[in-house]
Amino acid sequence: FPVPLSAFNIVESYENVQGQILLDNYSEEAVRYVWDFGNGDTSEMFSPVIRYEENGTYLIQLVAWNDNNCPDTAYMEYTIVFQGLYVPTAFTPTSSDPALKLFKPVGLNLEFYELVVINERGNIVFRSNKLDEMGSPTEGWDGKTKGEPQSSGNYMWSIRAKFKDGSTWEGNQVGDGYTKTFGKVLLIR
């Protein structure tokens, strides 16, 4: 009996979700499919969508069967390294909630990072480039400069950042359809 042809392609960041992929099945002469996603999950769908939750390299396998119960197998490796950088828009140093006390961007898998905050006169009031082993910023601005509390209001920030995969951070969405590597943060006292 003839054997089918097992074949597929990976569509990354499916529906703009990091770690979510569409397995685009283009097998020929096949009627049944068995997928192994390399993470312990399996499926018998024609073209499944799967979401990986952890960094890693996964060996994806598709076994395609024809009407005569003859199989063919295709393999493909998929590597995912989650990365991102989010910049908050406000903070309040007097809050009892630790998450609101500092202006601290949240990131993952950054290789290089530099945050600069300036006041309305153009003076630098805070600067940091410290990352932990996960590539996450470790310092945040507490609303003080040289120990002196700064007044409530808007402050400008700018960030230069590069991820461990070599890509450059393109910035935050700021509501106008564009991404920017600078913006405003509101200090509330």
Side-chain angles (χ1 to χ4, degrees):
F1 294 111
V3 295
L5 171 66
S6 178
F8 66 96
N9 195 15
I10 297 173
V11 179
E12 294 188 72
S13 296
Y14 185 67
E15 296 178 334
N16 292 320
V17 176
Q18 196 175 158
Q20 182 168 285
I21 62 173
L22 166 68
L23 295 167
D24 191 12
N25 186 346
Y26 56 92
S27 299
E28 296 177 7
E29 304 296 323
V31 295
R32 186 166 62 96
Y33 312 94
V34 177
W35 295 89
D36 183 334
F37 304 124
N39 64 353
D41 292 338
T42 61
S43 175
E44 293 185 16
M45 295 179 65
F46 178 75
S47 286
V49 174
I50 181 76
R51 185 168 181 185
Y52 292 93
E53 302 289 335
E54 296 179 15
N55 293 340
T57 298
Y58 301 90
L59 182 62
I60 300 171
Q61 172 185 306
L62 167 61
V63 181
W65 303 79
N66 67 10
D67 284 330
N68 298 314
N69 217 21
C70 296
D72 186 40
T73 305
Y75 299 92
M76 194 178 292
E77 278 191 349
Y78 173 65
T79 301
I80 179 71
V81 176
F82 287 94
Q83 60 190 30
L85 182 60
Y86 166 76
V87 183
T89 57
F91 73 111
T92 178
T94 58
S95 174
S96 59
D97 184 345
L100 300 175
K101 284 177 133 357
L102 298 175
F103 171 61
K104 181 179 168 193
V106 178
L108 184 63
N109 282 316
L110 291 162
E111 179 179 287
F112 168 80
Y113 161 84
E114 181 181 44
L115 165 67
V116 176
V117 180
I118 61 173
N119 64 16
E120 69 280 353
R121 292 179 299 282
N123 298 321
I124 295 174
V125 295
F126 180 76
R127 175 178 288 187
S128 177
N129 63 359
K130 294 187 176 144
L131 298 169
D132 65 17
E133 64 280 350
M134 298 293 295
S136 299
T138 60
E139 291 183 322
W141 182 42
D142 62 1
K144 296 179 183 175
T145 302
K146 297 179 183 174
E148 293 296 318
Q150 299 298 297
S151 60
S152 294
N154 282 311
Y155 291 79
M156 294 294 295
W157 59 263
S158 70
I159 295 177
R160 292 184 309 130
K162 184 170 129 181
F163 295 104
K164 290 180 179 178
D165 71 355
S167 63
T168 301
W169 181 64
E170 300 294 330
N172 268 4
Q173 275 283 358
V174 291
D176 60 2
Y178 299 99
T179 57
K180 294 187 171 74
T181 58
F182 59 89
K184 294 179 191 174
V185 60
L186 177 60
L187 167 57
I188 303 167
R189 291 216 179 264

